[in-house]
Amino acid sequence: SSELTQDPAVSVALGQTVRITCQGDSLRRYYASWYQQKPGQAPILVIHGKNNRPSGIPDRFSGSSSGNTASLTISGVQAEDEADYYCNSRDNSGHPLRVFGGGTKLTVL
Amino acid sequence: QVQLQQSGPGLVKPSQTLSLTCAISGDTISNFNAGWNWIRQSPSRGLEWLGRTYYRSRSYDDYAVSVRGRITINPDTSKNQFSLHLNSVTPEDTAVYYCARDLLDSSGSHYYMDVWGEGTTVTVSS
């Protein structure tokens, strides 16, 4: 399967911890990367690989993976973390194609 | 600092060809650890990866099944840029189009899109 499945929406109280998940057969073989997108802006990379944060991304963002599920965890959520989050990985067909999850809208209460 | 600058028309007529260009600064299109991608986003499709071009010993390309046969991504080493051509467009091709660099992790285990263009809104309408 080439699909990556995400919950459409998640909400979390300010300062709490939230986990956003991404499921797909390809995740058994390949790492996911995670992107944050705010309205009217291009996506930005927040996590890639096993648990790598690009420079400038706060350490409250972390990643993990188990079986067919990749997870993005935000600890101590801030108001500015309210955004859409997308996972991305390789297609499981054997070809080096890419596929995105449907995205999760994170609301900070 | 790597930057990607997009250019191209925002309005294309049905059945015609959508063409966009992404100019690279701070890196070279022949970087053996990079791929150069086109992605689009619409309310109905979300983020959709369209394809990429990359250099190893020569130029290669990969395309999404959904647009294969209609898409070409061309590198231009002389101008350090790459272009998207999507032919026979319909209103379903209306979307925001992004270019992005796809970089190989230092461990060699995976790729990730670390730099994105600003996006170009393309409307397919007569």
Side-chain angles (χ1 to χ4, degrees):
Chain A
S1 169
S2 62
E3 292 185 348
L4 296 178
T5 302
Q6 298 182 241
D7 290 329
V10 171
S11 59
V12 61
L14 186 68
Q16 297 302 300
T17 296
V18 65
R19 177 182 293 182
I20 297 169
T21 61
C22 174
Q23 290 187 304
D25 288 343
S26 65
L27 299 178
R28 297 184 185 278
R29 296 179 61 186
Y30 305 114
Y31 286 118
S33 50
W34 289 93
Y35 302 86
Q36 177 194 70
Q37 186 181 35
K38 296 181 179 180
Q41 298 181 17
I44 63 169
L45 177 71
V46 294
I47 290 287
H48 66 91
K50 193 173 184 179
N51 182 19
N52 301 297
R53 272 179 299 106
S55 173
I57 301 301
D59 61 6
R60 62 179 180 270
F61 289 86
S62 63
S64 61
S65 183
S66 178
N68 72 336
T69 302
S71 300
L72 172 70
T73 300
I74 311 173
S75 304
V77 169
Q78 303 298 302
E80 61 263 31
D81 299 333
E82 184 163 290
D84 294 328
Y85 291 86
Y86 295 89
C87 59
N88 175 259
S89 187
R90 274 183 57 164
D91 185 279
N92 200 38
S93 66
H95 299 289
L97 311 181
R98 304 285 189 269
V99 61
F100 284 94
T104 297
K105 181 175 179 56
L106 176 66
T107 299
V108 180
L109 303 173
Chain B
Q1 179 185 358
V2 179
Q3 292 185 318
L4 302 177
Q5 181 65 48
Q6 299 180 217
S7 60
L11 180 63
V12 182
K13 288 181 166 47
S15 80
Q16 295 192 342
T17 297
L18 180 161
S19 295
L20 298 173
T21 298
C22 184
I24 304 163
S25 59
D27 196 358
T28 63
I29 197 165
S30 55
N31 180 347
F32 275 27
N33 291 315
W36 306 95
N37 297 259
W38 286 99
I39 298 111
R40 68 183 178 183
Q41 185 173 33
S42 64
S44 60
R45 293 172 176 258
L47 281 172
E48 180 184 13
W49 178 81
L50 298 176
R52 66 171 186 157
T53 183
Y54 58 102
Y55 269 86
R56 299 301 177 253
S57 55
R58 62 174 178 85
S59 173
Y60 294 86
D61 50 48
D62 298 310
Y63 299 125
V65 172
S66 61
V67 292
R68 200 170 292 164
R70 294 200 296 134
I71 187 173
T72 306
I73 297 177
N74 293 324
D76 185 338
T77 54
S78 65
K79 295 182 179 179
N80 204 34
Q81 63 186 31
F82 61 108
S83 60
L84 166 70
H85 303 282
L86 184 66
N87 60 37
S88 304
V89 296
T90 72
E92 288 197 352
D93 294 309
T94 295
V96 178
Y97 285 76
Y98 295 99
C99 58
R101 184 178 75 166
D102 196 26
L103 197 63
L104 181 63
D105 178 72
S106 57
S107 69
S109 66
H110 65 278
Y111 283 85
Y112 54 95
M113 296 180 198
D114 67 329
V115 180
W116 292 63
E118 74 275 23
T120 301
T121 300
V122 178
T123 302
V124 178
S125 175
S126 54

